[in-house]
PDB file of all heavy atoms in Angstrom:
ATOM      1  N   PRO L 299      62.469  74.756 122.550  1.00 97.00           N
ATOM      2  CA  PRO L 299      63.160  75.876 123.193  1.00 97.00           C
ATOM      3  C   PRO L 299      63.707  76.890 122.199  1.00 97.00           C
ATOM      4  O   PRO L 299      63.727  78.103 122.500  1.00 97.00           O
ATOM      5  CB  PRO L 299      64.293  75.202 123.984  1.00 97.00           C
ATOM      6  CG  PRO L 299      64.443  73.844 123.419  1.00 97.00           C
ATOM      7  CD  PRO L 299      63.104  73.458 122.906  1.00 97.00           C
ATOM      8  N   ILE L 300      64.134  76.443 121.027  1.00 98.00           N
ATOM      9  CA  ILE L 300      64.615  77.412 120.038  1.00 98.00           C
ATOM     10  C   ILE L 300      63.464  78.293 119.574  1.00 98.00           C
ATOM     11  O   ILE L 300      63.597  79.517 119.497  1.00 98.00           O
ATOM     12  CB  ILE L 300      65.294  76.684 118.860  1.00 98.00           C
ATOM     13  CG1 ILE L 300      66.628  76.075 119.306  1.00 98.00           C
ATOM     14  CG2 ILE L 300      65.522  77.647 117.696  1.00 98.00           C
ATOM     15  CD1 ILE L 300      67.319  75.238 118.247  1.00 98.00           C
ATOM     16  N   ARG L 301      62.316  77.694 119.283  1.00 98.00           N
ATOM     17  CA  ARG L 301      61.152  78.487 118.865  1.00 98.00           C
ATOM     18  C   ARG L 301      60.744  79.480 119.949  1.00 98.00           C
ATOM     19  O   ARG L 301      60.380  80.634 119.662  1.00 98.00           O
ATOM     20  CB  ARG L 301      59.993  77.556 118.544  1.00 98.00           C
ATOM     21  CG  ARG L 301      58.667  78.248 118.256  1.00 98.00           C
ATOM     22  CD  ARG L 301      58.517  78.634 116.792  1.00 98.00           C
ATOM     23  NE  ARG L 301      59.236  79.829 116.380  1.00 98.00           N
ATOM     24  CZ  ARG L 301      59.142  80.355 115.152  1.00 98.00           C
ATOM     25  NH1 ARG L 301      58.383  79.795 114.216  1.00 98.00           N
ATOM     26  NH2 ARG L 301      59.829  81.432 114.844  1.00 98.00           N
ATOM     27  N   LYS L 302      60.834  79.051 121.204  1.00 98.00           N
ATOM     28  CA  LYS L 302      60.444  79.922 122.314  1.00 98.00           C
ATOM     29  C   LYS L 302      61.388  81.100 122.456  1.00 98.00           C
ATOM     30  O   LYS L 302      60.954  82.231 122.748  1.00 98.00           O
ATOM     31  CB  LYS L 302      60.413  79.111 123.608  1.00 98.00           C
ATOM     32  CG  LYS L 302      60.036  79.929 124.837  1.00 98.00           C
ATOM     33  CD  LYS L 302      60.013  79.065 126.083  1.00 98.00           C
ATOM     34  CE  LYS L 302      59.670  79.908 127.319  1.00 98.00           C
ATOM     35  NZ  LYS L 302      59.661  79.070 128.557  1.00 98.00           N
ATOM     36  N   HIS L 303      62.676  80.888 122.231  1.00 98.00           N
ATOM     37  CA  HIS L 303      63.668  81.921 122.520  1.00 98.00           C
ATOM     38  C   HIS L 303      64.143  82.686 121.287  1.00 98.00           C
ATOM     39  O   HIS L 303      64.737  83.762 121.445  1.00 98.00           O
ATOM     40  CB  HIS L 303      64.878  81.289 123.227  1.00 98.00           C
ATOM     41  CG  HIS L 303      64.589  80.849 124.617  1.00 98.00           C
ATOM     42  ND1 HIS L 303      64.801  81.661 125.716  1.00 98.00           N
ATOM     43  CD2 HIS L 303      64.085  79.680 125.101  1.00 98.00           C
ATOM     44  CE1 HIS L 303      64.458  81.011 126.812  1.00 98.00           C
ATOM     45  NE2 HIS L 303      64.015  79.811 126.468  1.00 98.00           N
ATOM     46  N   TYR L 304      63.892  82.155 120.092  1.00 98.00           N
ATOM     47  CA  TYR L 304      64.371  82.826 118.884  1.00 98.00           C
ATOM     48  C   TYR L 304      63.221  83.558 118.222  1.00 98.00           C
ATOM     49  O   TYR L 304      62.185  82.964 117.922  1.00 98.00           O
ATOM     50  CB  TYR L 304      64.982  81.810 117.919  1.00 98.00           C
ATOM     51  CG  TYR L 304      65.586  82.446 116.694  1.00 98.00           C
ATOM     52  CD1 TYR L 304      66.693  83.290 116.800  1.00 98.00           C
ATOM     53  CD2 TYR L 304      65.050  82.223 115.429  1.00 98.00           C
ATOM     54  CE1 TYR L 304      67.254  83.886 115.680  1.00 98.00           C
ATOM     55  CE2 TYR L 304      65.603  82.809 114.303  1.00 98.00           C
ATOM     56  CZ  TYR L 304      66.698  83.639 114.438  1.00 98.00           C
ATOM     57  OH  TYR L 304      67.248  84.235 113.325  1.00 98.00           O
ATOM     58  N   SER L 305      63.398  84.823 117.947  1.00 98.00           N
ATOM     59  CA  SER L 305      62.296  85.650 117.447  1.00 98.00           C
ATOM     60  C   SER L 305      62.266  85.771 115.927  1.00 98.00           C
ATOM     61  O   SER L 305      61.333  86.354 115.374  1.00 98.00           O
ATOM     62  CB  SER L 305      62.379  87.057 118.059  1.00 98.00           C
ATOM     63  OG  SER L 305      63.600  87.691 117.709  1.00 98.00           O
ATOM     64  N   GLY L 306      63.279  85.247 115.237  1.00 98.00           N
ATOM     65  CA  GLY L 306      63.340  85.383 113.785  1.00 98.00           C
ATOM     66  C   GLY L 306      62.735  84.203 113.050  1.00 98.00           C
ATOM     67  O   GLY L 306      62.046  83.351 113.632  1.00 98.00           O
ATOM     68  N   VAL L 307      62.990  84.140 111.745  1.00 98.00           N
ATOM     69  CA  VAL L 307      62.490  83.061 110.900  1.00 98.00           C
ATOM     70  C   VAL L 307      63.226  81.777 111.258  1.00 98.00           C
ATOM     71  O   VAL L 307      64.461  81.719 111.256  1.00 98.00           O
ATOM     72  CB  VAL L 307      62.687  83.393 109.411  1.00 98.00           C
ATOM     73  CG1 VAL L 307      62.360  82.184 108.540  1.00 98.00           C
ATOM     74  CG2 VAL L 307      61.819  84.586 109.021  1.00 98.00           C
ATOM     75  N   LEU L 308      62.458  80.719 111.554  1.00 98.00           N
ATOM     76  CA  LEU L 308      63.021  79.435 111.955  1.00 98.00           C
ATOM     77  C   LEU L 308      62.721  78.396 110.879  1.00 98.00           C
ATOM     78  O   LEU L 308      61.573  78.193 110.500  1.00 98.00           O
ATOM     79  CB  LEU L 308      62.431  78.981 113.293  1.00 98.00           C
ATOM     80  CG  LEU L 308      62.918  77.638 113.834  1.00 98.00           C
ATOM     81  CD1 LEU L 308      64.423  77.644 114.068  1.00 98.00           C
ATOM     82  CD2 LEU L 308      62.178  77.287 115.135  1.00 98.00           C
ATOM     83  N   MET L 309      63.781  77.740 110.415  1.00 98.00           N
ATOM     84  CA  MET L 309      63.670  76.696 109.411  1.00 98.00           C
ATOM     85  C   MET L 309      64.005  75.348 110.051  1.00 98.00           C
ATOM     86  O   MET L 309      65.049  75.207 110.696  1.00 98.00           O
ATOM     87  CB  MET L 309      64.659  76.975 108.271  1.00 98.00           C
ATOM     88  CG  MET L 309      64.602  76.005 107.113  1.00 98.00           C
ATOM     89  SD  MET L 309      66.047  76.186 105.997  1.00 98.00           S
ATOM     90  CE  MET L 309      66.152  77.938 105.804  1.00 98.00           C
TER      91      MET L 309
END
Side-chain angles (χ1 to χ4, degrees):
I300 290 175
R301 173 87 282 185
K302 179 180 178 181
H303 290 268
Y304 184 65
S305 61
V307 171
L308 179 60
M309 183 193 314

